[in-house]
Amino acid sequence: MKHLNVQNISQSFGENHVLDDINFSIEEGEFVSILGPSGSGKSTLFRIIGGISEPTSGDILLKNKSIKGKPGSISYTPQSPSLFPWRSILDNVLLGQEIVGKKDRKKALQMIERAGLGSYEHAYPYELSGGMKQRASFIRSILSPQSLILLDEPFSALDEFTRTDMQKWLLSMWAEHRRSILFVTHNIEEAIFLSDRVIILSQRPATVLKEFNISFSRPREEELLLSEEFIELKKEIYQEMRLSHA
């Protein structure tokens, strides 16, 4: 059984056609990235999958049940960390569990420690760097009861070295907990490094141009980024995206 099925999703706002018959699926425990040019409708698609917006046509199935227009079915992490400034880091990461009435403080503290935030559990978001805030946001997603996590360009505001460190940390946490992840980015290198599979979207109105299976073994280290095989795949994906601009 597929974990997530995106079926014939189209979205228009008046005469503005954003998504055109989008179809793809995600397996249980799979890490899939959606890659597309800026303005291609990636975030619009995420809002639809997250139940925040309803599509003009099509359906979203989570474990064969429709979640179209049903927020709260998945865990959604937007581009900004979206931590509540008046809550401590511990209280922020427990928010998803708190909503469903089941808090596990011990596990939360263990994950905060594992994320290198062990001395910050009682700190407030303004006291943390951008990368630290993103770690806290992802811990909140992992602790939330939903089985699928959507990550919308979570590292786009970080510098290159912090971004690479965060990617490696994310992969280590994913390997440990094996939640299904759908990750949006416009960075080809990031998509390849993180994913089992990469889905390429065209310009608006967005369609699925192609899917790439990423066969590099795990765990992945940053040396992979400089390998000939990685660079060749990056070129192939770049050319595919370039053709969609022609």
Side-chain angles (χ1 to χ4, degrees):
M1 181 174 65
K2 302 291 186 183
H3 195 165
L4 179 75
N5 272 298
V6 175
Q7 297 183 338
N8 309 112
I9 291 293
S10 295
Q11 181 67 285
S12 297
F13 301 100
E15 296 298 313
N16 183 17
H17 302 298
V18 181
L19 305 174
D20 182 23
D21 199 29
I22 301 285
N23 288 274
F24 64 87
S25 62
I26 297 177
E27 303 286 348
E28 190 82 33
E30 192 177 21
F31 196 127
V32 176
S33 286
I34 294 180
L35 187 60
S38 296
S40 61
K42 300 184 299 294
S43 293
T44 298
L45 178 60
F46 254 35
R47 287 194 295 272
I48 291 171
I49 296 172
I52 300 167
S53 303
E54 286 205 37
T56 304
S57 61
D59 204 357
I60 306 292
L61 302 180
L62 185 68
K63 296 182 178 179
N64 284 345
K65 293 183 179 180
S66 177
I67 57 169
K68 183 172 70 172
K70 296 178 181 178
S73 301
I74 54 89
S75 177
Y76 175 60
T77 301
Q79 292 181 26
S80 60
S82 65
L83 301 174
F84 289 125
W86 61 87
R87 296 179 70 120
S88 69
I89 298 308
L90 176 58
D91 287 338
N92 264 291
V93 303
L94 283 168
L95 182 62
Q97 289 189 341
E98 186 179 312
I99 290 171
V100 297
K102 186 182 178 182
K103 291 198 292 185
D104 188 341
R105 290 175 61 88
K106 183 178 179 181
K107 186 175 182 181
L109 286 168
Q110 287 174 344
M111 292 188 68
I112 288 171
E113 182 72 32
R114 171 91 167 74
L117 302 175
S119 58
Y120 290 92
E121 67 265 28
H122 300 302
Y124 290 87
Y126 75 89
E127 300 176 83
L128 274 61
S129 68
M132 293 164 78
K133 290 176 187 175
Q134 287 294 7
R135 292 181 192 218
S137 290
F138 186 67
I139 291 169
R140 181 176 60 193
S141 294
I142 287 284
L143 287 170
S144 295
Q146 296 91 344
S147 59
L148 175 69
I149 298 173
L150 305 189
L151 300 175
D152 189 356
E153 299 195 61
F155 308 143
S156 59
L158 304 179
D159 66 78
E160 185 174 349
F161 294 108
T162 304
R163 186 178 186 130
T164 301
D165 287 342
M166 284 299 300
Q167 289 167 355
K168 288 163 62 180
W169 177 83
L170 173 60
L171 285 179
S172 70
M173 295 297 288
W174 171 74
E176 188 175 324
H177 297 277
R178 277 295 176 181
R179 304 284 284 281
S180 302
I181 291 181
L182 184 59
F183 188 98
V184 155
T185 181
H186 59 261
N187 186 300
I188 298 173
E189 194 171 272
E190 180 170 72
I192 299 171
F193 185 66
L194 292 174
S195 308
D196 296 314
R197 195 156 41 95
V198 175
I199 296 168
I200 310 294
L201 294 186
S202 69
Q203 294 192 85
R204 288 191 180 190
T207 60
V208 174
L209 284 178
K210 195 169 183 178
E211 292 189 14
F212 288 84
N213 289 313
I214 311 301
S215 58
F216 298 119
S217 61
R218 297 185 184 274
R220 294 176 184 167
E221 299 296 336
E222 55 190 299
E223 290 78 15
L224 175 64
L225 302 171
L226 301 176
S227 70
E228 186 176 337
E229 295 84 358
F230 189 97
I231 292 168
E232 284 303 312
L233 181 55
K234 183 178 177 182
K235 287 179 182 177
E236 187 179 352
I237 292 176
Y238 174 82
Q239 291 299 332
E240 189 70 40
M241 294 180 69
R242 187 74 173 168
L243 286 172
S244 78
H245 279 260

